[in-house]
Amino acid sequence: MLNNKIRLNLYNQSWYSRGKKGSIVIIWWLIQSSLFRLSFHNMYGWRNFLLRLFGAKIGQGVKIRSSAKFTYPWKVTIGDYSWIGDNVQFYCLDTIYVGSNCIVSQESYLCTGSHNIKDPHFGLIVKPIIIKDGAWVASDVFVYPGVTINEMAVVAARSTVIKDIPANEVHAGSPAKYIKKRFEEDELL
């Protein structure tokens, strides 16, 4: 039998900042679970307004579904004409940047926080996620902390992204691996 080294009673994240006071966090969570979530399907402008009100940088023509969730919207930037699907989770303990003309499809989970598995106190680790212009994160994809999905890259449905995806490449699987180029060189001219 192994001697358990894990001591969760010593867990300490006092170094971590949510970026706003606790009262603002609670107000956001209340707004998100009511005015945001209960808004009609096509009320994209309303949801963008609410996110901007809480510090998110939201571009022009962005379409975010009412069931999308944002832990701390002030840590989120979404470029022009991007789409965020149903039940997408922005677990934004660190910054999440989504470029212009991107798609993050339904049920995807963008995770900027994890824990050090070798630390007996299970120390918190946070790293940003960057999704560059024209990229598509398909349905039910999990994106690890610190990952960059480069320009026009595609991550296929149900994939797990643990490392950066180069520009114009399609990756699939768990962990996601190279499948093919999205566009051939002559198509990019």
Side-chain angles (χ1 to χ4, degrees):
M1 188 158 149
L2 293 176
N3 181 23
N4 183 6
K5 294 182 167 293
I6 306 305
R7 299 290 177 253
L8 296 179
N9 60 311
L10 299 176
Y11 177 74
N12 181 348
Q13 67 175 30
S14 61
W15 61 270
Y16 177 72
S17 172
R18 294 179 291 191
K20 301 278 184 191
K21 293 189 295 186
S23 58
I24 301 298
V25 172
I26 290 170
I27 291 168
W28 163 247
W29 290 347
L30 289 170
I31 295 291
Q32 179 172 235
S33 65
S34 59
L35 297 175
F36 188 95
R37 185 153 183 93
L38 299 174
S39 61
F40 291 115
H41 164 78
N42 62 347
M43 294 179 70
Y44 301 113
W46 170 247
R47 291 187 289 275
N48 292 348
F49 166 77
L50 290 173
L51 286 164
R52 287 181 188 119
L53 187 64
F54 281 87
K57 296 174 186 77
I58 306 294
Q60 181 178 13
V62 172
K63 294 185 177 185
I64 299 171
R65 300 295 293 222
S66 64
S67 57
K69 289 185 80 176
F70 298 80
T71 308
Y72 306 130
W74 45 89
K75 294 187 178 210
V76 172
T77 299
I78 301 173
D80 296 340
Y81 305 106
S82 288
W83 301 346
I84 308 301
D86 281 311
N87 299 309
V88 170
Q89 299 271 338
F90 277 70
Y91 188 56
C92 39
L93 300 184
D94 204 326
T95 57
I96 296 178
Y97 173 84
V98 177
S100 295
N101 299 294
C102 293
I103 302 115
V104 181
S105 293
Q106 61 275 10
E107 307 293 337
S108 290
Y109 196 104
L110 309 181
C111 183
T112 63
S114 189
H115 298 274
N116 180 348
I117 63 171
K118 293 206 172 227
D119 178 1
H121 308 152
F122 209 51
L124 180 65
I125 299 168
V126 296
K127 296 179 183 175
I129 291 173
I130 300 168
I131 301 171
K132 295 189 178 178
D133 294 350
W136 178 20
V137 175
S139 300
D140 201 21
V141 169
F142 185 92
V143 181
Y144 265 70
V147 164
T148 297
I149 299 171
N150 284 286
E151 293 85 352
M152 294 187 300
V154 175
V155 182
R158 298 258 165 125
S159 295
T160 302
V161 184
I162 62 173
K163 62 180 184 167
D164 294 354
I165 306 294
N168 192 40
E169 288 187 5
V170 177
H171 286 233
S174 186
K177 294 185 176 152
Y178 175 79
I179 302 297
K180 64 179 185 176
K181 293 281 187 193
R182 182 177 187 180
F183 297 105
E184 295 304 322
E185 295 303 321
D186 60 335
E187 294 177 295
L188 293 171
L189 300 175

